Amino acid sequence: PAEPQPRAMMPGQATQPRRAGSPSPTRAGVPRTSMSERILAAEQRLEALDREREVAAADLTALRERAAAPATERRLRTAYALWLCCPFYPAYALYLGRDLHACLYTLTLGGFGVGWLVDGACLPWYVADYNEPLGYLMRAQRRAAARLFAWRTLLLPARWLLVSASCSLAAALAAAALPVKRLEAAVGAERAAVARLVAGLLGATVGATCACRCVAAVRTRARPQRALFWGALLLSLVLASEEARDKVAEEGVAPSLAAVSLSVAVAAMGGAAFDPSLSPSRGGPAGLAARLLLQLGGVGGVAAVAALSFHLNGDEWLGKDGRKKLREAGAQLRTLYEQLRARSLADHWADLRELLRDPGDDAATLLGVARDASPAEIKQAHRRLARLHHPDKQQDASREEKEEAERMMSRLNAAKDTLLGES
């Protein structure tokens, strides 16, 4: 920017030279900023305008693509119906084009129960992100850049909890996939623990990258390099001394792995940025069958890694004779299943009714008194029936009749205690 021109001199006015070291003239009492500060402010304004220009260009491209191949708009009421009626599988995420979200939801069993509630609060965001109304990208970019956005601030604790839990789960799965006994026999217990921590760090980075993109977020891209750097920095601090490495080898890698997972989650959430190109309505497979097949492949891959981890380290997890006890538990479950199948649905319904029946009504019916009878009436009815069914009165009866009298006497005593306790 050009410097301001000096004011014109009046005839006969003498110029007053400025002394060396004196402050520069001011305008309206405001001191003049330096040239470097003005250049820096202008560059920052240009960068902000460039970002807005990129978002506006992406918005225009999205509108042109939707005009060329119009997609069916998603309805908020349909998304909420799927969310409410199907909490065990995220059909609403597939409906809104969030395939990675659906896969992560399935692997974490509904976000550990909390993700289902968080998604219910975020469904209006997800629907607007899929439909992309006019000017949506500009508003979403400003909302992502805002420091204190109301809904995001309220959901921040739940989002941090879910991202941290996803990181910890991925880290534990990656660390458990290594054969512990073979590693310890080959390189020693200390190096084996370090190898498991490094594998857990890589798994936590993958989990944080996926979770930051899905959990209470739209068009958010995490920076795995940042998360990996901070996790590696904390890991190097944990393993800085030989005593610390020996302690990790003796006590196990679980505490250190939890600390690394939390640092990776915090770094990933802090480095997440808005990316307008991550549209849920474009970029994925078109057919529902292909999307479901991709979901099945992702879930099956993680299940295969978990099965491999159990095959390699199952004895360490379950302890001595752990596999034998597990097989016995499986046999008991199969026996219970066969017993349930042997009975009819009417029998199960009768058992349920018997379980839910009010014991006070049965006690009153057995003693032949009203539910609100006085203690004197309850005791009198109990004595009258006890004279008839007491085992001492059945001297000449058979063994079966004596056993039936004992059971009846026990029922009478229990009925009396129930009614007297209520009164």
Side-chain angles (χ1 to χ4, degrees):
E3 290 289 334
Q5 297 297 327
R7 191 170 52 184
M9 304 296 294
M10 297 297 292
Q13 182 179 2
T15 59
Q16 297 291 336
R18 186 165 57 92
R19 295 180 182 179
S22 61
S24 59
T26 60
R27 179 181 300 177
V30 180
R32 182 184 301 171
T33 58
S34 63
M35 185 61 65
S36 60
E37 293 178 352
R38 297 168 66 183
I39 292 175
L40 181 60
E43 290 178 351
Q44 291 177 352
R45 288 197 300 270
L46 285 177
E47 290 178 0
L49 290 174
D50 289 340
R51 287 195 297 268
E52 292 186 0
R53 181 181 178 84
E54 291 177 0
V55 174
D59 198 357
L60 180 59
T61 303
L63 289 175
R64 287 175 176 172
E65 291 180 358
R66 291 176 67 85
T72 305
E73 290 190 355
R74 301 308 191 213
R75 296 183 178 274
L76 183 60
R77 64 181 68 179
T78 306
Y80 267 114
L82 293 174
W83 171 79
L84 187 62
C85 298
C86 189
F88 302 105
Y89 183 76
Y92 59 91
L94 287 178
Y95 174 70
L96 298 174
R98 301 173 65 88
D99 294 349
L100 182 61
H101 188 150
C103 185
L104 185 65
Y105 188 101
T106 306
L107 291 173
T108 57
L109 301 178
F112 310 100
V114 182
W116 182 72
L117 298 175
V118 173
D119 285 345
C122 297
L123 274 182
W125 289 357
Y126 300 160
V127 173
D129 189 49
Y130 186 92
N131 293 332
E132 294 183 11
L134 184 62
Y136 166 75
L137 289 180
M138 296 291 293
R139 294 192 299 270
Q141 195 273 338
R142 290 174 185 149
R143 185 169 62 232
R147 294 280 182 182
L148 294 175
F149 179 61
W151 277 104
R152 189 176 67 175
T153 306
L154 292 175
L155 294 176
L156 185 60
R159 185 167 186 259
W160 184 85
L161 175 65
L162 291 174
V163 173
S164 301
S166 301
C167 289
S168 301
L169 179 62
L173 192 61
L178 298 179
V180 179
K181 297 297 183 182
R182 296 180 183 178
L183 276 177
E184 290 180 351
V187 298
E190 181 180 329
R191 293 186 178 180
V194 173
R196 296 179 68 187
L197 286 175
V198 172
L201 172 62
L202 297 177
T205 304
V206 174
T209 304
C210 297
C212 285
R213 184 173 173 178
C214 302
V215 179
V218 293
R219 308 208 183 195
T220 302
R221 184 183 296 278
R223 298 174 184 174
Q225 300 88 350
R226 177 190 176 102
L228 189 61
F229 169 77
W230 286 105
L233 180 61
L234 181 61
L235 185 60
S236 63
L237 293 177
V238 171
L239 304 175
S241 63
E242 186 176 356
E243 296 179 356
R245 292 192 293 270
D246 294 339
K247 185 177 180 181
V248 169
E250 292 176 359
E251 298 181 357
V253 298
S256 302
L257 199 61
V260 170
S261 301
L262 292 179
S263 66
V264 168
V266 172
M269 290 184 62
F274 180 76
D275 189 352
S277 63
L278 298 177
S279 175
S281 59
R282 320 184 286 277
L288 180 61
R291 295 171 62 191
L292 291 176
L293 186 62
L294 190 62
Q295 296 276 318
L296 182 62
V299 175
V302 176
V305 173
L308 177 63
S309 303
F310 182 77
H311 176 71
L312 294 175
N313 306 309
D315 294 334
E316 182 184 0
W317 298 346
L318 299 176
K320 189 177 181 180
D321 298 333
R323 294 180 184 271
K324 181 180 179 181
K325 295 179 181 178
L326 191 62
R327 285 193 293 268
E328 292 177 355
Q332 292 177 0
L333 287 177
R334 286 192 295 270
T335 303
L336 180 61
Y337 176 71
E338 293 297 333
Q339 292 176 356
L340 291 176
R341 287 190 59 186
R343 303 188 64 188
S344 63
L345 186 61
D347 295 336
H348 291 300
W349 176 249
D351 293 342
L352 182 62
R353 292 181 60 185
E354 184 69 23
L355 182 64
L356 298 178
R357 184 179 298 174
D358 190 357
D361 293 339
D362 294 341
T365 303
L366 182 62
L367 294 179
V369 295
R371 180 68 181 271
D372 55 350
S374 63
E377 295 175 347
I378 296 172
K379 292 177 182 179
Q380 182 180 1
H382 176 266
R383 285 193 298 269
R384 176 174 51 81
L385 293 174
R387 294 192 190 99
L388 297 175
H389 300 285
H390 200 278
D392 295 341
K393 301 291 184 180
Q394 311 293 332
Q395 297 293 337
D396 299 333
S398 62
R399 181 179 179 182
E400 290 78 7
E401 292 177 348
K402 290 182 179 180
E403 291 178 354
E404 180 63 27
E406 291 178 357
R407 287 195 293 269
M408 186 62 182
M409 197 65 199
S410 300
R411 292 178 59 193
L412 291 173
N413 293 334
K416 182 188 73 170
D417 295 339
T418 301
L419 293 179
L420 287 178
E422 291 182 355
S423 61

